[in-house]
Amino acid sequence: MKDKTCTAEEAISEVRDGYSIAINSWGLTGTPAYLLRALRACGAKDLTLYCNNFIPGISALEEIGLANLTGLLPQLKKVVSPFIGGRAFRNVLAEEEDIFEGRVQKGELEIETSSHGIYIERFLAGAMGSGGIYSPIGVDTVIEEGKEKRTIDGIEYVFQKPIRPDIGLVKAHRADRMGNLVYRGTSRASNPVVAMASKITIVEVFDIVETGELDPEMVVTPGIYVDRIVRIPEDDISSESKTNEVLKMIIKRRIEAEAAMSANPPQS
Amino acid sequence: MKERMSEELVAMRAAKELKDGDYCNLGIGIPQLCASFVPETVKVQTENGALGYGPLLSFADMEKLAQQPELIDELMETRDPDLSDAGARAFSPAPGMSFFDLLTSFAMIRSHRLTSILGGLQVSEKGDLAIHSTSDRDPYPQIGGSMDLAWGAKRVIVAMTHTAKDDTPKIVKRLSMPLSASQCVDLIITDLAVIEVTPEGLLLKEVAPDWTAEEVQSLTEATLILADDLKEVEL
């Protein structure tokens, strides 16, 4: 069987201008940070990004090269995400928030949002080749604007289109050479649905084992969904020890920011 | 000005609604604080894919970390980078814990098997909930899992402040903020009162210490029905 392992650059060379890219993004856990950096380096533009949470960057992450969605902003024309913006972290993220809002206001960045459940259902529809789903969530809310509504057996539903990304970037805990994947803890999240729904799926892992070494009962994503496997260098910035350094830095900054806030509260 | 209940007390009162064998999901805001008061026999779900996990590591307690910086190193050593909740806060493992992908997680959230404790911006007298945005003109409303959690729960408890900071009532006749889910709220727990949503209207069941039903009503736009056994908030 063909070996699916390659470098991040080789894998990301599949990306063309105007492509749609799906990732799992939930803080640092299960986010394909290594491939995201390769995506930035490749310079592809006019991309549509599907992600769980689009929190405009954290500069501490940028400094040490971890996943930073603000850094990706110039390459994006559209973001589809159930949770956009970092208003909750306004005191520490004002600058990134302004870059993001500026692009939205100038019409350079299109935003599409929905409920998280709908977002995931749409991936399932994409994976199944369905024409879409009728979801009970969002009836009479902002979500139904411009969408077909239908009553089935007395219950109202809102139509939602499938998501079928050109490229899925996935983070797994371990892969074998056939691309069978196992995950760990909450880093599983939407990685399995991204792998199933995407036309081309690229996986990053620290650990690649020989075929036959994974317990088939434990495989969550079967290798048929995986086109490319990228091994993250052991000393990479997204390794556990490096991540801990970043987190320490973030915590220290938050402590400083909160101290500054309480010494000098904002006028509102 | 009379003192209202602290956020911790509101969270403690809300957690009291959880019974042995319940499964629950805790939303952003005051509900997050409930985690400290949830009994061990109640299993907590997080929408990024875990059920029945252990206590959160105290990353969120910035005050404590500011005073004892050496705790940060200690936290880093105990922290497992693959265990974090939907608010990106690290948690500890617990026996019986399970992990799953987001399809499973949101099917679970909509299964009417979880008790959902949510924050709230406004609740109407019919139990309509506004939680994701203050304005129709919001360029990017932060919906997240809130609509799924409000629609699909076994029971929806809203834990919030009774009024906005300027004393504008948050419990209203009709929502002025964008709807998140209609007629979904079962119980409202605020820093002033415990109010049940019933077919007849909003039933005032408990008031904060030193507060009277009239005072609570004066800070509530919707009309409150007084429960026969109206009492002080029990913690």
Side-chain angles (χ1 to χ4, degrees):
Chain A
M1 183 147 194
K2 189 184 151 204
D3 193 340
K4 294 176 179 178
T5 55
C6 65
T7 66
E9 290 67 31
E10 285 165 353
I12 287 294
S13 69
E14 307 260 14
V15 177
R16 303 277 174 272
D17 290 352
Y19 264 22
S20 57
I21 315 278
I23 58 164
N24 177 66
S25 68
W26 220 313
L28 300 172
T29 307
T31 301
Y34 187 64
L35 289 172
L36 276 172
R37 270 181 280 141
L39 182 64
R40 278 187 64 181
C42 89
K45 53 186 192 295
D46 296 331
L47 303 175
T48 295
L49 183 72
Y50 292 95
C51 59
N52 307 82
N53 297 281
F54 190 89
I55 311 286
I58 293 177
S59 33
L61 304 189
E62 173 76 348
E63 280 162 28
I64 66 134
L66 268 180
N68 182 324
L69 297 177
T70 306
L72 207 58
L73 270 174
Q75 290 168 263
L76 303 180
K77 67 164 190 211
K78 184 173 181 181
V79 173
V80 182
S81 173
F83 195 89
I84 296 173
R87 277 176 296 195
F89 315 100
R90 181 86 219 181
N91 54 344
V92 275
L93 293 180
E95 203 178 309
E96 284 86 352
E97 198 57 9
D98 291 343
I99 296 170
F100 169 71
E101 279 181 11
R103 287 211 63 200
V104 175
Q105 277 160 10
K106 279 189 231 153
E108 292 168 359
L109 184 67
E110 191 188 338
I111 295 294
E112 183 184 317
T113 190
S114 69
S115 89
H116 215 137
I118 290 173
Y119 175 79
I120 295 301
E121 277 183 292
R122 292 178 64 196
F123 274 92
L124 176 63
M128 293 292 243
S130 303
I133 47 141
Y134 286 95
S135 176
I137 308 299
V139 173
D140 297 329
T141 74
V142 62
I143 279 182
E144 70 166 49
E145 278 169 20
K147 298 193 178 73
E148 181 203 342
K149 271 174 89 175
R150 188 167 167 185
T151 303
I152 303 169
D153 291 339
I155 297 170
E156 279 191 299
Y157 298 89
V158 181
F159 179 74
Q160 298 284 353
K161 285 184 174 175
I163 294 175
R164 185 112 171 89
D166 294 309
I167 306 268
L169 304 182
V170 162
K171 172 146 191 175
H173 179 61
R174 188 170 287 136
D176 68 16
R177 290 191 180 274
M178 292 175 73
N180 293 309
L181 305 181
V182 293
Y183 301 92
R184 189 167 175 280
T186 50
S187 67
R188 188 183 308 192
S190 59
N191 282 309
V193 290
V194 166
M196 287 194 293
S198 301
K199 293 175 194 158
I200 297 171
T201 297
I202 305 168
V203 177
E204 64 169 58
V205 279
F206 278 106
D207 192 12
I208 302 175
V209 298
E210 292 308 317
T211 299
E213 282 184 36
L214 292 181
D215 178 354
E217 301 279 4
M218 295 297 132
V219 172
V220 173
T221 298
I224 189 170
Y225 288 118
V226 174
D227 300 287
R228 302 264 180 219
I229 310 164
V230 174
R231 189 201 297 270
I232 313 167
E234 266 168 45
D235 58 349
D236 187 71
I237 217 84
S238 58
S239 65
E240 191 176 338
S241 58
K242 295 283 171 60
T243 303
N244 279 350
E245 278 175 32
V246 187
L247 280 174
K248 272 193 221 175
M249 197 194 310
I250 292 170
I251 290 173
K252 281 173 185 159
R253 283 189 188 187
R254 268 190 63 186
I255 290 171
E256 284 165 18
E258 285 186 19
M261 282 273 285
S262 58
N264 198 0
Q267 310 290 320
S268 62
Chain B
M1 185 83 176
K2 282 191 188 179
E3 201 167 323
R4 302 186 183 198
M5 284 161 52
S6 66
E7 291 192 340
E8 283 71 24
L9 287 180
V10 177
M12 195 190 279
R13 176 62 190 81
K16 214 180 134 219
E17 292 296 313
L18 300 167
K19 306 290 178 236
D20 285 6
D22 275 355
Y23 297 93
C24 73
N25 180 292
L26 307 173
I28 297 168
I30 293 176
Q32 281 179 341
L33 303 174
C34 295
S36 317
F37 308 110
V38 172
E40 260 180 44
T41 51
V42 170
K43 300 298 170 207
V44 182
Q45 193 252 19
T46 179
E47 53 263 48
N48 59 328
L51 178 66
Y53 53 90
L56 295 173
L57 303 181
S58 52
F59 278 92
D61 196 348
M62 286 294 154
E63 219 167 289
K64 199 171 164 192
L65 291 178
Q67 283 158 5
Q68 294 167 267
E70 67 278 8
L71 273 183
I72 299 175
D73 289 329
E74 201 183 305
L75 275 174
M76 290 306 151
E77 275 162 32
T78 45
R79 165 187 174 275
D80 182 329
D82 290 330
L83 304 186
S84 67
D85 76 357
R89 298 169 307 167
F91 61 75
S92 46
M97 165 173 77
S98 56
F99 301 121
F100 33 85
D101 68 19
L102 292 199
L103 277 176
T104 311
S105 181
F106 279 90
M108 193 182 290
I109 282 167
R110 295 196 199 162
S111 70
H112 303 288
R113 289 168 183 269
L114 288 166
T115 298
S116 178
I117 304 184
L118 288 167
L121 295 168
Q122 279 185 337
V123 180
S124 82
E125 59 189 7
K126 289 198 160 63
D128 301 330
L129 175 66
I131 186 172
H132 67 269
S133 179
T134 54
S135 161
D136 289 322
R137 294 188 304 276
D138 195 341
Y140 45 100
Q142 299 187 320
I143 300 169
S146 63
M147 288 188 183
D148 303 281
L149 286 159
W151 182 89
K154 180 168 91 170
R155 189 160 176 249
V156 173
I157 298 166
V158 170
M160 63 176 188
T161 53
H162 201 89
T163 63
K165 284 199 178 98
D166 60 358
D167 274 350
T168 312
K170 289 167 76 171
I171 302 171
V172 293
K173 287 192 163 70
R174 274 198 209 94
L175 300 182
S176 61
M177 292 179 187
L179 175 76
S180 300
S182 61
Q183 297 184 33
C184 61
V185 178
D186 296 291
L187 193 70
I188 310 164
I189 299 175
T190 74
D191 48 2
L192 293 183
V194 177
I195 297 166
E196 191 181 330
V197 183
T198 74
E200 290 72 39
L202 298 178
L203 185 67
L204 180 63
K205 299 180 78 173
E206 298 172 29
V207 291
D210 299 329
W211 285 75
T212 66
E214 292 71 32
E215 288 165 339
V216 172
Q217 177 66 74
S218 73
L219 292 169
T220 310
E221 187 197 284
T223 306
L224 300 173
I225 304 164
L226 304 194
D228 293 338
D229 59 343
L230 179 68
K231 59 192 173 192
E232 190 171 286
V233 171
E234 283 184 347
L235 294 168

